[in-house]
Structures are given as C-alpha cells and as structure tokens.
Amino acid sequence: MASTDQDRIGPGLCWPELAAILQAPDGAVGATDPHARLLLLLPVLGDSAAPAEAVDAVAEALVSQRAPDACEPLARRLLGGHPMWGAQPWTFDVDERSWICDGEHSPRQTPLGDHLSPYWRVELEACLGAEPHA
C-alpha cells in the first residue's frame, strides 16, 4: 500500500476506501475495533478531498485511545497526509473499477504501476494477480 523506504511509495488509500474497511468482517481476527483499524491505516491515507466526517471519525478514534477530547486539530493534521507524499487528489476510474491517484509517488497512477521500480512493479502485479512483465 505504501512504503517509506528509498522508493517512497504512497499514498495507498483514499478516504472512501479506508472508510469501507473500518468494520472488520464477521469472524475476523487481529485488529477488529474500527477505531484501532482507522488509526493503524491512517499513515497510508493521503486524500486531499477527505470529507468533514473524516475529521470527526479520526478525532473519535483518537479519543478512544485516550487522546484529549479537544483533539480535532490533531485529527485535521493527521488527515493532511504523510510527510513523504501529503494528501493527493483521487478519482474513481469506472473502467478499472478502482480509485486512481496521480500523486508523484502513488503506486496507483494510470496506467497502474508503470512509474514504479522493477521491485515494486512485481509486488503490485502480485497483489493484483497480474502476470509480471519485463
């Protein structure tokens, strides 16, 4: 989804994607609390159009982990994106049935993965179930 190593890959998620995976499926193991899931996934978020409800959701998640009640400024700051890639615009590509981010370091540019290093291109293709190409 994202990487802070020398290849700087990110952001990995837009807000609609993150919001869609906050509720763990029935029978899931691991981090099943929606607040914990949000905070764990927040570093790969980078969406310049996150809605106002995102601030409330992040603030609520922070308070659930004992942050002060008045943590809205922190929630806004966290929604500003990772320091390596910031918050980027996303668009939904109907043909790809996927969210696309044209941020400089995004692995989800169109065409998907063409700008990545050979290592990360193989990793992306493996995640997508595509046949690797040279």
Side-chain angles (χ1 to χ4, degrees):
M1 280 194 197
S3 170
T4 57
D5 65 6
Q6 66 186 4
D7 291 326
R8 294 175 25 156
I9 309 277
L13 294 172
C14 62
W15 180 257
E17 292 172 312
L18 190 143
I21 57 177
L22 290 180
Q23 294 298 321
D26 290 340
V29 296
T32 58
D33 176 71
H35 294 126
R37 291 168 68 90
L38 179 112
L39 295 175
L40 288 169
L41 290 167
L42 200 54
V44 298
L45 178 73
D47 190 340
S48 60
E53 67 199 38
V55 175
D56 295 337
V58 172
E60 185 178 309
L62 289 167
V63 169
S64 79
Q65 299 302 311
R66 299 190 174 100
D69 288 340
C71 63
E72 183 179 317
L74 175 58
R76 288 187 187 286
R77 172 86 169 107
L78 293 171
L79 285 166
H82 192 281
M84 291 185 121
W85 52 74
Q88 302 295 326
W90 292 75
T91 55
F92 189 79
D93 186 307
V94 176
D95 294 331
E96 292 285 339
R97 295 182 295 156
S98 178
W99 286 94
I100 304 295
C101 175
D102 284 328
E104 179 182 355
H105 302 289
S106 174
R108 295 171 64 189
Q109 294 178 4
T110 304
L112 290 174
D114 276 4
H115 66 291
L116 298 176
S117 69
Y119 171 81
W120 285 109
R121 187 171 302 136
V122 169
E123 291 295 314
L124 176 65
E125 288 169 347
C127 288
L128 297 174
E131 290 293 321
H133 66 274

